[in-house]
Amino acid sequence: MTGSLAAPPILSTPETHIFEDPTPVTGILKQQRSDEQIYLTYEIKRTVVEIREGKWRRIALQFPDEMLSDAPRVYEALNKGLREVRGGKDRLREAANGPPGNAFEHLSVSSVVLPEEKMYILADTSYGSCCIDEIAAEHVDADVVVHYGRACLSPTARLPVIHVFTSQPLSTDSLLDAFEETYPNREQKVILMADVTYSNHVSLVHDALIQRGYSNVYPTGIVHNPSSPLPNRTVPDAVEENSSLLADWQLFHISDPPQSLLLTLSSRLSAIHIYPTLTTSSSEKPKTLTASTALALRRRYGLLTSLSTVSIFGILINTLSVKNYLHIVEHVKAQILAAGKKSYTFVVGKVNAVKVANFSEVGGWVVIGCWESSLVESKDFWKPVITPFELDLALTGDGERIWTGEWKSDFQGILDKPIKRPFTQRDDDDVPGEGDQYENTTHAGGVDSESESAPPEFDLRTGRYVSHSRPMLNQDTLVSSGVSNGKDSTKVPNSLIKRSKGDLAAIAGEVSPGAEYLKSKRAWKGLGSDFEIAYEESGAVIGASLEEGRSGIARGYTSGAASSRR
């Protein structure tokens, strides 16, 4: 990986798995649905009601890959419903309680003609299908996004969202029998929780359990709060006042939960039992499974401790729509800088091993995404991929790091935690005070050369000393930190200066080691590196020759003059 590259690396998802999505599938029916099933599963009536009440005119319909086959029929059903009730807003609530066949027939159309709604189907998501694709929605200037299927329920930054969880069928009798086998004690404190696609069955199951003699079963409701003790779910009143009381409860979860949820809840509840909704045989009776996360937590701890001596981190931005994602990006960058390490930021779509392997100098990756997609579990990645919570542990010294088994996935708890140490700290015994944080770190030329090279660290995992250079500081950082070059530190040049041909980027008057490494040790330096750049006054501009690219439609492109279809 560290040798010279003879050809440009692959910077996109290979065609073999271009449509792969890490979001778990929750038992979506594959057979053709009837019109009534489409109407009920995709909640056409409720969607029409909310669209009309919101007065939205441009609607984006976001489907996961496994539901795209139903997208045209859902579009037609919504279009028909909106067309029939257009102008009948006052009686729309009454229609929502009617039968599917004639829900909109008895509505009168007023003389006021409202503009017709326009709907757009988002066929491919920029990131995981559990997240709201605000980027694709803004391409069509949408006013609202209707999201179908599983959802992480992360707060969005810009657009309002209508969630349609596409409720799935569930055998209540089999579930009740499995519950009784798991909890023979009728006084056991149990929290009843389900995946969002089965959440409509929670209240019905709870009522049936009350009839069977269970008195301490709490049915959860859906809320948009990933920071809740039960992410995006309500909790008992006593737990809301004191979250530590959640350890007195056990969890009965309907359908397989995502791994991030299991790791989050493993240290908060006394036990977790999972009722599987996908069985290999229709005659096979589902059995409750006991969740165990000890092995997964040990693996995560091993990954983060292996990054304690890494000098370069890559920050993978895997979302552009989750609220506060910019704040967590800046927080992570500040954390890495405070630890005396370097960071580079990358904006990616769906994360895979091929993309991140193109940057061999990066020693570890931090994913900034929704609370579900930030956890990447794969052995295909060349370097470890961790979450912001795990990064905080990795940057903690070996003498201070305490692993309690607790695991968090939401951003807010990380943002509330202050950054511990400044980047100029030499060792644990030499901690600068509040007033002299940068004392004795500069000379007349700028930052002291000693701060550019950290003392070697002994890696207990490899038995070797590891040395690395400290990150360079740009002029803004020097000024804000009080570090000057002997002149007025408040004067920062902000005018454009043309760089001579072939010059390397400089920070605070010093050549960037990263730019120098890219120029001298990398054969391929990025897109457009196969031709030289010349300014107008130096003569003719030298550029790459024009080549005919792909043309046609998505189902079969024509590549160049060869006319080969792909």
Side-chain angles (χ1 to χ4, degrees):
M1 297 295 296
T2 58
S4 60
L5 300 177
I10 301 174
L11 296 178
S12 60
T13 305
E15 294 179 351
T16 55
H17 53 274
I18 192 170
F19 291 114
E20 285 185 4
D21 185 8
T23 306
V25 181
T26 56
I28 307 301
L29 296 177
K30 297 298 182 182
Q31 62 267 25
Q32 184 75 11
R33 289 187 174 95
S34 63
D35 292 340
E36 184 176 0
Q37 288 176 331
I38 290 288
Y39 195 91
L40 297 176
T41 301
Y42 292 94
E43 302 183 44
I44 302 299
K45 287 188 293 186
R46 181 178 71 86
T47 306
V48 171
V49 168
E50 296 197 24
I51 291 176
R52 297 298 297 175
E53 289 186 345
K55 299 180 180 180
W56 294 305
R57 292 291 172 260
R58 302 176 69 87
I59 302 100
L61 309 178
Q62 180 179 339
F63 292 85
D65 293 339
E66 65 271 11
M67 295 184 183
L68 279 177
S69 59
D70 293 334
R73 300 176 64 192
V74 174
Y75 176 92
E76 292 297 334
L78 288 175
N79 194 32
K80 179 181 178 182
L82 291 170
R83 184 172 58 251
E84 292 181 356
V85 303
R86 192 170 294 120
K89 178 180 178 182
D90 295 337
R91 300 179 59 186
L92 193 56
R93 274 293 180 189
E94 181 182 353
N97 299 322
N102 58 353
F104 308 106
E105 293 177 358
H106 62 283
L107 293 181
S108 61
V109 180
S110 63
S111 58
V112 179
V113 179
L114 297 179
E116 181 179 356
E117 294 84 359
K118 293 185 178 180
M119 294 181 291
Y120 305 86
I121 298 175
L122 307 183
D124 186 25
T125 56
S126 303
Y127 303 97
S129 61
C130 66
C131 299
I132 307 303
D133 195 351
E134 287 188 326
I135 304 302
E138 288 181 346
H139 287 171
V140 296
D141 195 20
D143 301 322
V144 65
V145 178
V146 182
H147 183 276
Y148 294 99
R150 283 198 78 261
C152 59
L153 299 178
S154 298
T156 55
R158 294 174 289 274
L159 294 178
V161 182
I162 299 175
H163 283 285
V164 179
F165 299 132
T166 59
S167 302
Q168 301 303 311
L170 180 67
S171 176
T172 306
D173 294 335
S174 299
L175 186 148
L176 294 175
D177 294 340
F179 190 95
E180 287 185 328
E181 292 178 4
T182 306
Y183 305 106
N185 182 12
R186 290 322 198 248
E187 302 297 326
Q188 178 67 51
K189 290 184 176 181
V190 182
I191 294 178
L192 187 62
M193 183 175 171
D195 192 83
V196 292
T197 55
Y198 295 94
S199 59
N200 61 312
H201 300 284
V202 171
S203 59
L204 299 177
V205 172
H206 174 257
D207 295 340
L209 290 174
I210 295 298
Q211 295 178 0
R212 296 198 180 194
Y214 288 92
S215 57
N216 288 326
V217 178
Y218 175 80
T220 58
I222 295 179
V223 293
H224 294 260
N225 184 16
S227 300
S228 172
L230 295 175
N232 294 319
R233 297 296 189 278
T234 57
V235 295
D237 295 336
V239 175
E240 191 170 358
E241 298 176 359
N242 185 5
S243 60
S244 62
L245 296 178
L246 189 62
D248 299 333
W249 294 76
Q250 295 190 17
L251 178 68
F252 187 85
H253 194 278
I254 303 174
S255 186
D256 294 328
Q259 184 71 4
S260 58
L261 178 61
L262 281 181
L263 295 181
T264 301
L265 298 181
S266 60
S267 61
R268 302 181 182 181
L269 295 155
S270 60
I272 301 176
H273 296 91
I274 302 172
Y275 178 79
T277 54
L278 295 178
T279 57
T280 56
S281 175
S282 59
S283 59
E284 182 181 354
K285 188 176 181 180
K287 295 182 179 180
T288 304
L289 306 175
T290 302
S292 177
T293 59
L295 182 61
L297 287 174
R298 287 198 298 266
R299 183 170 61 252
R300 301 304 303 179
Y301 184 68
L303 286 177
L304 67 92
T305 53
S306 67
L307 298 178
S308 60
T309 56
V310 167
S311 60
I312 300 178
F313 282 91
I315 303 175
L316 293 173
I317 300 181
N318 194 33
T319 180
L320 295 177
S321 58
V322 175
K323 189 177 180 180
N324 289 335
Y325 85 94
L326 287 177
H327 296 83
I328 191 64
V329 169
E330 295 300 323
H331 185 84
V332 167
K333 291 169 64 177
Q335 273 187 312
I336 296 174
L337 178 62
K341 302 176 184 294
K342 302 178 183 179
S343 66
Y344 296 91
T345 305
F346 304 84
V347 179
V348 298
K350 296 179 175 66
V351 180
N352 58 57
V354 178
K355 290 181 181 179
V356 299
N358 290 305
F359 308 97
S360 58
E361 293 77 22
V362 175
W365 299 90
V366 184
V367 177
I368 307 298
C370 72
W371 69 277
E372 287 189 10
S373 63
S374 294
L375 179 62
V376 178
E377 291 268 76
S378 177
K379 297 180 180 179
D380 298 333
F381 288 88
W382 189 44
K383 297 296 176 62
V385 182
I386 60 176
T387 66
F389 169 76
E390 294 169 337
L391 174 69
D392 182 68
L393 291 175
L395 297 180
T396 304
D398 292 337
E400 302 176 0
R401 185 188 303 117
I402 300 177
W403 179 252
T404 62
E406 182 185 19
W407 197 89
K408 297 180 180 179
S409 56
D410 64 289
F411 291 163
Q412 195 58 45
I414 303 170
L415 291 173
D416 294 339
K417 189 174 182 180
I419 299 175
K420 295 182 180 178
R421 53 187 181 182
F423 71 96
T424 53
Q425 180 176 334
R426 293 296 188 271
D427 51 51
D428 294 339
D429 298 330
D430 182 19
V431 181
E434 180 179 357
D436 57 353
Q437 178 175 340
Y438 296 97
E439 185 176 355
N440 297 328
T441 59
T442 63
H443 58 76
V447 179
D448 188 3
S449 60
E450 184 182 355
S451 66
E452 293 298 326
S453 298
E457 301 178 37
F458 184 75
D459 191 348
L460 295 175
R461 285 153 292 277
T462 61
R464 300 177 179 178
Y465 279 99
V466 179
S467 61
H468 52 80
S469 60
R470 291 191 182 275
M472 300 185 67
L473 297 178
N474 56 31
Q475 189 68 24
D476 293 337
T477 305
L478 295 174
V479 172
S480 62
S481 304
V483 179
S484 65
N485 57 359
K487 301 179 182 179
D488 187 2
S489 61
T490 60
K491 295 180 180 180
V492 181
N494 51 17
S495 59
L496 293 177
I497 301 176
K498 189 178 76 171
R499 190 174 66 194
S500 302
K501 176 182 176 181
D503 280 359
L504 298 176
I507 299 177
E510 299 291 336
V511 176
S512 170
E516 186 175 4
Y517 180 91
L518 180 64
K519 180 179 180 180
S520 60
K521 297 185 179 181
R522 274 293 185 93
W524 188 78
K525 305 177 181 62
L527 298 177
S529 61
D530 54 343
F531 64 91
E532 298 181 1
I533 299 177
Y535 293 100
E536 295 180 358
E537 61 270 17
S538 61
V541 177
I542 304 174
S545 58
L546 296 178
E547 298 180 1
E548 184 178 355
R550 289 185 179 183
S551 61
I553 58 178
R555 70 177 183 180
Y557 289 111
T558 300
S559 300
S563 299
S564 58
R565 295 178 63 84
R566 301 186 64 182

